[in-house]
């Protein structure tokens, strides 16, 4: 009884309603699963308006939970978004947080409070499964043939099963905790991103060996693994190499094992799926199942993965005591290096919905992504327009779990627990988006800082949003950012420019 009184008192302090603990099992905090998609656009799921591809499992998650229409990754590319979701800090504050090569050193400080460490301090078992892409080791090349650390285990996770970077970058192997899975010690791994090593065939030199060809000029034509050219060169580790068709199933299997093993104690699972990042090579059961080429097929595969996780929770009887958050690390891209049918078979599908831009872009399509919170029996189903960020998960769960944060912890993570649980329509009051420049969102207004650069990223055919003059948009009336009203509102431009500069210079926004 004392525990419940203390818990309810904390609930009041953090702005939550009494109903926020109704779905918990007696004496146990809720489990938490973050399902993190890769390159999935706001308009890529049917509950957000997609008609050319169906996502019934994600749709069910949304219909039973809260679907946010103004939910964001912190950046329009993967590494900085992943850095921010785990640290609660805008990645542009730290050097070296742009898209990393597969042999980069760890960029998450091991002495910092992270999302995983918040859960560990609250007594949770934690796991990182899927794509990592935040670097490994301290300096130079990680020791692929020995202990690979520091990495996920040093940054808040008790268990890790992951691949180091992206599916289109070497090394194409799984790492479990500190070691490459299934590595033959007689067939050691070497990786290089500066020049070719070894004599293995490459996509550039041996295109006849490819089952998926790369887009000319995008660099996906180096060492061939599983019939697909990659970025970077690799030798060795033949037994350890995964196949693209097995990625989704392998990550789902590992997640299911972790959930089942820890079903009787609170757990936190960060499930960072590879879908729908390139190379898009779905499992055989999904090939040709959509109208949109392999890109549509892997959207269906992603939806299947979500369904399998939810079935596991239902089977184990822990769905009502598990918070599931579904989102994506950045906006969409069609041709991101491979000729996989995404462009030729677009068939009217709009991956970013009505928004301009996408992956790599400072326009809304770059960071406004699917964002769903599901907690049956506790979170009332609905749709919310509250401004929410993945960076806010750290401070919000710290509040839920009564874990104090120091002044230096999570400097850009806001406690928006009320919005996440549907008790409030108020999320953040302001937010910074990152691409090749920065943008500030405040209320209905968005200010994009001037920056030289191309108006169109030709390689991926995505509008950059860059301009040498200030840009100001009213997102309430112009979500497509078609009408720059900076000249008509110079006072707003001045105010938001100064506010953005203050956020930069102060080192924090929380």
């Amino acid at each position: 009884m004392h525990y419940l009184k203390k818990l309810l008192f904390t609930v009041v302090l953090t702005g939550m309603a009494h109903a926020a603990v109704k779905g918990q099992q007696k004496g146990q905090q809720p489990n938490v699963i973050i399902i993190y998609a890769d390159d999935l656009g706001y308009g890529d799921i049917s509950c957000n308006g997609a008609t050319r591809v169906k996502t019934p499992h994600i749709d069910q998650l949304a219909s039973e939970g809260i679907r946010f229409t103004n939910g964001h990754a912190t950046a329009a590319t993967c590494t900085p978004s992943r850095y921010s979701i785990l640290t609660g800090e805008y990645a542009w504050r730290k050097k070296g947080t742009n898209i990393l090569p597969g042999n980069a050193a760890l960029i998450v400080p091991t002495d910092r409070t992270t999302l995983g460490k918040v859960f560990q301090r609250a007594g949770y078992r934690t796991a990182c499964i899927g794509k990592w892409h935040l670097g490994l080791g301290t300096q130079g090349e990680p020791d692929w043939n020995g202990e690979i650390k520091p990495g996920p285990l040093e940054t808040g996770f008790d268990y890790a099963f992951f691949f180091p970077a992206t599916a289109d970058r070497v090394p194409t192997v799984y790492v479990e905790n500190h070691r490459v899975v299934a590595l033959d010690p007689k067939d050691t791994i070497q990786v290089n991103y500066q020049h070719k090593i070894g004599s293995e065939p490459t996509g550039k030199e041996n295109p006849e060996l490819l089952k998926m060809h790369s887009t000319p000029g995008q660099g996906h034509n180096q060492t061939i693994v599983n019939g697909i050219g990659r970025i970077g060169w690799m030798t060795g580790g033949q037994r350890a190499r995964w196949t693209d068709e097995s990625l989704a199933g392998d990550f789902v299997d590992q997640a299911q094992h972790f959930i089942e093993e820890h079903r009787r104690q609170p757990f936190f699972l960060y499930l960072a799926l590879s879908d729908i990042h390139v190379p898009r090579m779905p499992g055989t059961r999904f090939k040709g199942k959509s109208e949109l080429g392999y890109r549509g097929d892997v959207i269906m595969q992603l939806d299947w993965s979500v369904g399998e996780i939810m079935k596991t929770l239902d089977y184990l009887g822990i769905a009502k005591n598990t918070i599931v958050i579904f989102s994506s690390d950045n906006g969409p891209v069609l041709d991101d290096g491979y000729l996989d049918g995404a462009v030729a078979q677009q068939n009217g599908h709009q991956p970013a919905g009505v928004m301009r831009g996408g992956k790599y872009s400072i326009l809304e399509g770059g960071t406004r992504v699917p964002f769903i919170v599901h907690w049956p029996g506790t979170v009332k189903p609905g749709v919310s327009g509250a401004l929410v960020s993945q960076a806010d998960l750290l401070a919000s769960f710290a509040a839920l779990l009564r874990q104090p944060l120091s002044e230096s912890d999570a400097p850009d993570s806001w406690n928006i627990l009320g919005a996440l649980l549907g008790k409030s329509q108020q999320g953040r009051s302001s937010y910074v988006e990152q691409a090749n420049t920065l943008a500030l969102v405040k209320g209905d207004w968005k200010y994009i800082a001037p920056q030289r650069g191309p108006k169109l990223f030709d390689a991926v055919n995505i509008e950059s949003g860059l301009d040498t003059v200030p840009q100001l948009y009213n997102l309430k009336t112009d979500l497509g950012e078609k009408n720059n009203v900076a000249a008509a509102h110079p006072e707003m431009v001045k105010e938001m420019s100064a506010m953005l500069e203050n956020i930069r210079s102060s080192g924090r926004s929380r």
Side-chain angles (χ1 to χ4, degrees):
M1 193 67 182
H2 174 71
Y3 168 80
L4 290 176
K5 287 181 179 179
K6 183 177 180 181
L7 177 59
L8 291 175
F9 179 68
T10 305
V11 164
V12 172
L13 289 180
T14 58
M16 295 169 56
H18 172 77
V21 294
K22 186 172 63 175
Q24 296 181 24
Q25 297 175 5
K26 185 177 180 180
Q28 183 176 325
Q29 296 278 26
N31 309 308
V32 177
I33 300 174
I34 296 175
I35 303 177
Y36 209 33
D38 198 330
D39 292 355
L40 186 74
Y42 182 90
D44 276 328
I45 55 178
S46 40
C47 59
N48 278 352
T51 59
R52 294 290 185 176
V53 63
K54 298 297 182 183
T55 52
H57 298 295
I58 297 171
D59 295 352
Q60 182 176 353
L61 203 69
S63 67
E64 295 174 353
I66 301 177
R67 178 173 63 87
F68 288 90
T69 60
N70 199 8
H72 290 259
T74 61
T77 51
C78 50
T79 295
S81 292
R82 290 162 195 272
Y83 176 86
S84 294
I85 196 174
L86 295 184
T87 65
E89 178 181 48
Y90 289 136
W92 47 263
R93 296 195 189 279
K94 179 179 172 64
K95 291 182 179 180
T97 56
N98 292 326
I99 301 174
L100 296 178
N103 58 353
L106 179 68
I107 60 173
V108 178
T110 57
D111 59 350
R112 288 274 299 275
T113 294
T114 63
L115 185 59
K117 288 181 180 180
V118 166
F119 283 99
Q120 284 181 329
R121 292 168 187 170
Y124 281 59
R125 296 295 291 176
T126 63
C128 164
I129 294 172
K131 172 181 171 178
W132 180 239
H133 208 189
L134 290 166
L136 296 164
T138 53
Q139 58 184 354
E141 184 84 9
D143 182 6
W144 301 114
N145 306 294
E147 274 202 312
I148 304 169
K149 64 179 186 179
L153 299 195
E154 288 69 40
T155 54
F157 297 102
D158 299 308
Y159 175 76
F161 184 94
F162 60 96
F163 62 62
T166 57
D168 59 342
R169 285 173 170 80
V170 297
T172 51
V173 297
Y174 294 134
V175 177
E176 185 173 31
N177 296 329
H178 289 142
R179 293 190 177 273
V180 170
V181 176
L183 178 64
D184 180 353
K186 297 178 181 179
D187 184 24
T188 57
I189 295 171
Q190 295 182 57
V191 173
N192 197 293
Y193 277 81
Q194 281 70 49
H195 57 82
K196 182 180 178 180
I197 54 175
S199 58
E200 293 196 34
T202 68
K204 181 178 180 180
E205 299 164 342
N206 307 95
E208 74 281 0
L209 300 179
L210 297 172
K211 64 183 180 184
M212 178 183 286
H213 288 264
S214 62
T215 303
Q218 289 206 38
H220 294 75
N221 62 354
Q222 292 160 0
T223 297
I224 297 174
V225 178
N226 187 36
I228 301 172
R230 313 287 165 160
I231 298 174
W233 293 272
M234 173 184 180
T235 65
Q238 291 292 337
R239 189 176 71 178
R241 299 184 187 188
W242 41 252
T243 57
D244 301 80
E245 290 89 342
S246 71
L247 283 174
D250 288 346
F251 290 149
V252 167
D253 285 346
Q254 292 295 326
Q256 289 172 322
H257 292 158
F258 176 80
I259 292 168
E260 184 171 6
E261 183 179 359
H262 299 288
R263 65 189 183 277
R264 293 187 176 89
Q265 62 186 120
F267 64 80
F268 166 57
L269 170 61
Y270 171 65
L271 178 56
L273 299 172
S274 181
D275 290 330
I276 59 172
H277 194 282
V278 296
R280 304 173 185 126
M281 183 55 65
T284 302
R285 77 181 86 174
F286 297 104
K287 289 178 180 176
K289 294 297 184 181
S290 76
E291 304 175 10
L292 306 178
Y294 278 173
R295 187 175 187 274
D297 296 347
V298 293
I299 290 175
M300 296 179 66
Q301 181 171 264
L302 169 66
D303 184 70
W304 169 84
S305 299
V306 172
E308 290 301 293
I309 297 301
M310 300 311 295
K311 288 176 186 176
T312 301
L313 298 177
D314 287 335
Y315 175 77
L316 296 174
I318 58 175
K320 286 190 175 181
N321 195 46
T322 302
I323 301 171
V324 177
I325 297 174
F326 175 82
S327 196
S328 176
D329 63 348
N330 49 248
V333 57
L334 295 179
D335 183 352
D336 205 22
Y338 295 95
L339 301 175
D340 60 6
V343 175
Q345 295 175 256
Q346 186 176 357
N347 287 329
H349 176 66
Q350 297 300 319
V354 302
M355 292 174 285
R356 290 167 60 202
K359 185 176 183 179
Y360 311 111
S361 171
I362 197 62
L363 297 168
E364 277 301 277
T367 64
R368 191 181 295 222
V369 292
F371 201 121
I372 298 167
V373 176
H374 180 274
W375 191 5
T378 300
V379 169
K380 185 178 179 180
V383 178
S384 175
L387 177 61
V388 296
S389 160
Q390 295 164 7
D392 298 328
L393 296 179
L394 198 159
S396 300
F397 280 115
L400 176 66
L401 302 175
R402 308 180 306 282
Q403 297 300 310
L405 297 177
S406 72
E407 188 70 15
S408 60
D409 289 334
D412 301 298
S413 184
W414 294 26
N415 175 9
I416 55 167
L417 193 58
L420 293 177
L421 298 183
K423 308 305 175 185
S424 170
Q425 288 294 311
Q426 297 299 314
R428 285 174 158 259
S429 60
S430 64
Y431 182 61
V432 178
E433 301 173 357
Q434 175 190 356
N436 282 26
T437 186
L438 298 180
L440 175 68
V441 175
K442 179 185 178 185
D444 295 331
W445 296 97
K446 177 176 176 178
Y447 164 77
I448 302 177
Q451 177 66 48
R452 293 184 182 276
K455 297 292 182 69
L456 181 74
F457 294 135
D458 292 322
V460 292
N461 194 32
I462 291 175
E463 292 181 88
S464 69
L466 300 177
D467 207 328
T468 55
V469 299
Q471 297 176 73
L472 183 70
Y473 300 98
N474 187 321
L475 298 179
K476 184 176 182 179
T477 59
D478 182 23
L479 186 55
E481 295 169 281
K482 297 177 181 178
N483 184 25
N484 180 8
V485 296
H489 299 277
E491 71 292 340
M492 180 63 72
V493 170
K494 183 178 180 180
E495 176 187 337
M496 295 187 72
S497 175
M499 184 175 179
L500 178 58
E501 182 54 38
N502 181 61
I503 292 172
R504 284 191 209 234
S505 60
S506 66
R508 62 187 305 103
S509 61
R510 175 168 67 91

